[in-house]
Amino acid sequence: MDLQLTGNAALVTASSSGLGKASAKALAREGANVVINGRNEDRLEAAKADIEDVAEGTVVAQSGDLTDEDDIESLVETTVDEFGGIDHLVMSAGGPPSGPFLETDDEDWYQAYDLLVMSVVRLAREAEPYLREDEGTIVNITSRSVKEAIDSLVLSNSVRMSVIGLEKTLSKEFAPEVRANAVLPGPHETERIKNLVEQAIDRGDYDSYEEGLDDWANNPLDRIGDPMELGNTVAFLSSPVSGYINGESILIDGGSTGANL
Ligand SMILES: NC(=O)c1ccc[n+]([C@@H]2O[C@H](COP(=O)([O-])OP(=O)(O)OC[C@H]3O[C@@H](n4cnc5c(N)ncnc54)[C@H](OP(=O)(O)O)[C@@H]3O)[C@@H](O)[C@H]2O)c1
């Protein structure tokens, strides 16, 4: 299926690793020109080279911190300067720290809000005129925690609900020109999950990486997700092929979430 993305301009945040990178890769493979982002320059350059291996379009790497308003303005400016507009805004971010409510202090709450919510607020505000002009798309990468609260993830369970409320609002306020959707990942084998498994091995929770990964693969499909499976869904949601999907939140979790809807 031709996703009709050739020559389109995409800004994908937090994309030097993991789910953001997989989304940028899928868009670039389908012919879009892509700006990728992260804070660490070395990781960003490595991701650029990896994406370029499959890219049909141009890949531009720009470092920047999503909690910094100026960096966000600059990311939007770079996308417009390099590619003449913005057709697709895909927003990922780093994950908030894990922990139960009583071990989470005010600073943790404010930092999680800044990273996960204010980054989306600022990116959407800055990109809106370009997205509207190009009849573009927004996809937020959040978590299955918005459907079902996950143990010891109070920040993810709580703060990400705001992103879904915002996405639903944008799907109305930016329509009919712009569509806005979200994907809700369950466990995918990214650097974040690899680090969490390795930390658990160091704590003595598991004997091997495989044993740790098995624990994350507790779903009907009995395996952890491949980041490209999520990236391909992001490319689909960005494509006119999915043109009647708007304001939707799509679980990508192998069926692990118990909620009926
Ligand atoms: N992987 C999963 O199974 C899973 C499941 C549910 C939800 N999620 C959520 O999906 C999101 C992405 O997770 P992931 O697994 O893809 O993580 P990852 O592999 O660790 O990648 C995170 C990316 O975000 C960038 N980043 C982090 N903080 C940033 C900041 N302040 N400004 C700019 N870039 C920043 C990182 O680069 P730098 O560190 O160099 O900045 C990196 O490129 C997170 O919010 C995570 O909680 C993931």
Side-chain angles (χ1 to χ4, degrees), residues 14 16-19 39-40 43 64-66 93-94 142 160 185 187-188 190:
S16 60
S17 172
L19 304 178
R39 292 163 302 175
N40 180 292
R43 190 164 30 233
D65 189 330
L66 292 171
T142 64
R160 289 188 197 276
H188 286 70
T190 64

Side-chain angles (χ1 to χ4, degrees), residues 13-67:
T13 63
S15 44
S16 60
S17 172
L19 304 178
K21 179 172 136 186
S23 302
K25 202 169 185 174
L27 287 163
R29 185 198 62 212
E30 296 300 322
N33 300 312
V34 180
V35 172
I36 63 168
N37 145 265
R39 292 163 302 175
N40 180 292
E41 302 260 4
D42 293 342
R43 190 164 30 233
L44 193 57
E45 281 310 313
K48 179 175 187 282
D50 186 38
I51 295 169
E52 279 174 338
D53 280 346
V54 302
E56 296 291 326
T58 305
V59 184
V60 170
Q62 180 165 317
S63 62
D65 189 330
L66 292 171
T67 61

